[in-house]
Amino acid sequence: MPESKSRKKKAQSVDPAFAARQEKLAQAQDKPNPRWLVPVMLTLMVVGLVWIVVYYLTSSRRGGGFPVPPLGAWNLAIGFALIIAGFGLTTRWK
């Protein structure tokens, strides 16, 4: 069976701007975590958990329960928002 003639492949040219962006991206990925990341992340998650626990423990009291009595059940939303913000910071952790 006859073989097809091999073709020479053209050298692919790389856009210099694209190569520079790729190099910057690689350098950015090698950077370590900022020093504030882990403490803030853990603090947000713990404060959110404590907020929810305090609300549940005090919600049977007259007045809506602490930490912020006028908010009532919205205290749960605040606690969960703090926890979600903490988990959102985990996406930046390397």
Side-chain angles (χ1 to χ4, degrees):
M1 185 167 277
E3 290 185 24
S4 63
K5 294 181 181 178
S6 61
R7 292 185 248 163
K8 292 183 181 178
K9 294 184 178 182
K10 295 180 182 178
Q12 294 181 350
S13 62
V14 177
D15 183 24
F18 178 75
R21 277 185 268 141
Q22 290 296 95
E23 186 176 328
K24 267 188 184 179
L25 182 63
Q27 288 174 354
Q29 290 176 345
D30 292 340
K31 290 183 181 178
N33 290 329
R35 294 183 63 103
W36 56 266
L37 182 70
V38 175
V40 170
M41 173 183 69
L42 293 175
T43 302
L44 283 171
M45 288 190 276
V46 169
V47 168
L49 179 65
V50 168
W51 192 290
I52 292 170
V53 169
V54 168
Y55 173 72
Y56 269 120
L57 291 177
T58 62
S59 64
S60 62
R61 290 184 176 178
R62 193 171 161 203
F66 289 103
V68 184
L71 291 179
W74 282 101
N75 281 302
L76 291 174
I78 292 171
F80 281 117
L82 290 169
I83 292 171
I84 290 169
F87 277 115
L89 287 177
T90 62
T91 61
R92 296 186 58 184
W93 189 23
K94 296 177 190 171

